[in-house]
Amino acid sequence: MDKEATLNRVRYIVAQMTRLPIERITAEASPKVIEEWDSLAQVNIVLSLEEEFGARFSPGQIERMTSVKGILAVLADSSTQ
Protein backbone atom coordinates (compact mmCIF):
# COMPACT_ATOMS: atom_id res chain seq x y z
CA MET A 1 0.00 0.00 0.00
CA ASP A 2 1.38 3.42 -0.88
CA LYS A 3 1.90 6.26 1.58
CA GLU A 4 -1.03 8.30 0.27
CA ALA A 5 -3.46 5.41 0.73
CA THR A 6 -2.16 4.77 4.24
CA LEU A 7 -2.47 8.46 5.11
CA ASN A 8 -6.06 8.50 3.86
CA ARG A 9 -6.96 5.39 5.87
CA VAL A 10 -5.42 6.88 9.03
CA ARG A 11 -7.17 10.23 8.46
CA TYR A 12 -10.48 8.42 8.01
CA ILE A 13 -10.07 6.46 11.26
CA VAL A 14 -9.06 9.56 13.25
CA ALA A 15 -12.01 11.47 11.77
CA GLN A 16 -14.40 8.68 12.71
CA MET A 17 -13.11 8.33 16.26
CA THR A 18 -13.12 12.09 16.91
CA ARG A 19 -16.41 12.60 15.04
CA LEU A 20 -14.90 15.33 12.89
CA PRO A 21 -14.96 15.92 9.14
CA ILE A 22 -12.01 14.26 7.45
CA GLU A 23 -10.99 17.65 6.05
CA ARG A 24 -9.99 18.70 9.57
CA ILE A 25 -7.62 15.75 9.93
CA THR A 26 -4.24 16.60 8.41
CA ALA A 27 -0.84 15.01 8.83
CA GLU A 28 -0.25 17.61 11.57
CA ALA A 29 -3.36 16.58 13.54
CA SER A 30 -2.79 15.63 17.17
CA PRO A 31 -4.54 15.94 20.53
CA LYS A 32 -2.74 19.29 20.93
CA VAL A 33 -4.64 20.81 18.01
CA ILE A 34 -7.80 18.67 17.96
CA GLU A 35 -9.77 19.06 21.18
CA GLU A 36 -11.95 16.06 20.33
CA TRP A 37 -8.86 13.79 20.27
CA ASP A 38 -9.10 12.90 23.94
CA SER A 39 -7.93 9.79 25.80
CA LEU A 40 -11.04 7.78 24.85
CA ALA A 41 -10.64 8.73 21.20
CA GLN A 42 -6.96 7.70 21.43
CA VAL A 43 -7.86 4.23 22.68
CA ASN A 44 -10.47 3.85 19.93
CA ILE A 45 -8.03 5.11 17.29
CA VAL A 46 -5.42 2.53 18.33
CA LEU A 47 -7.97 -0.31 18.39
CA SER A 48 -9.34 0.71 14.99
CA LEU A 49 -5.83 0.93 13.53
CA GLU A 50 -5.02 -2.54 14.84
CA GLU A 51 -8.15 -3.90 13.20
CA GLU A 52 -7.68 -1.99 9.94
CA PHE A 53 -4.01 -2.88 9.49
CA GLY A 54 -4.05 -6.33 11.10
CA ALA A 55 -1.41 -5.31 13.61
CA ARG A 56 -0.84 -5.40 17.35
CA PHE A 57 1.02 -2.41 18.72
CA SER A 58 3.39 -2.50 21.68
CA PRO A 59 3.04 0.02 24.52
CA GLY A 60 6.09 1.84 23.14
CA GLN A 61 4.51 2.12 19.71
CA ILE A 62 1.24 3.36 21.19
CA GLU A 63 3.13 6.08 23.07
CA ARG A 64 4.49 7.32 19.72
CA MET A 65 1.01 7.42 18.15
CA THR A 66 0.12 10.89 19.40
CA SER A 67 -0.36 12.48 15.98
CA VAL A 68 -1.19 11.43 12.47
CA LYS A 69 2.52 11.72 11.61
CA GLY A 70 3.38 9.54 14.61
CA ILE A 71 0.83 6.94 13.57
CA LEU A 72 2.26 6.88 10.05
CA ALA A 73 5.79 6.46 11.42
CA VAL A 74 4.74 3.51 13.59
CA LEU A 75 2.91 1.90 10.68
CA ALA A 76 5.94 2.38 8.41
CA ASP A 77 8.24 0.87 11.05
CA SER A 78 5.97 -2.10 11.65
CA SER A 79 5.60 -2.82 7.92
CA THR A 80 9.37 -3.11 7.53
CA GLN A 81 9.73 -5.66 10.32
Side-chain angles (χ1 to χ4, degrees), residues 17-47:
M17 296 304 117
T18 58
R19 297 180 181 198
L20 293 171
I22 196 167
E23 296 79 26
R24 289 213 30 215
I25 310 302
T26 66
E28 306 303 321
S30 73
K32 292 179 182 178
V33 294
I34 306 256
E35 183 177 317
E36 294 83 356
W37 190 335
D38 58 14
S39 58
L40 180 59
Q42 178 68 19
V43 169
N44 289 327
I45 288 167
V46 171
L47 292 173

Side-chain angles (χ1 to χ4, degrees), residues 1-73:
M1 175 179 313
D2 66 26
K3 290 180 183 183
E4 188 70 25
T6 302
L7 171 61
N8 288 333
R9 287 169 71 184
V10 169
R11 288 179 61 224
Y12 177 80
I13 288 169
V14 172
Q16 292 293 304
M17 296 304 117
T18 58
R19 297 180 181 198
L20 293 171
I22 196 167
E23 296 79 26
R24 289 213 30 215
I25 310 302
T26 66
E28 306 303 321
S30 73
K32 292 179 182 178
V33 294
I34 306 256
E35 183 177 317
E36 294 83 356
W37 190 335
D38 58 14
S39 58
L40 180 59
Q42 178 68 19
V43 169
N44 289 327
I45 288 167
V46 171
L47 292 173
S48 295
L49 289 166
E50 286 184 334
E51 185 176 321
E52 179 73 18
F53 292 96
R56 291 285 171 239
F57 301 113
S58 70
Q61 288 174 311
I62 293 169
E63 285 179 18
R64 294 175 42 211
M65 299 171 91
T66 57
S67 67
V68 170
K69 278 186 175 179
I71 292 167
L72 293 172

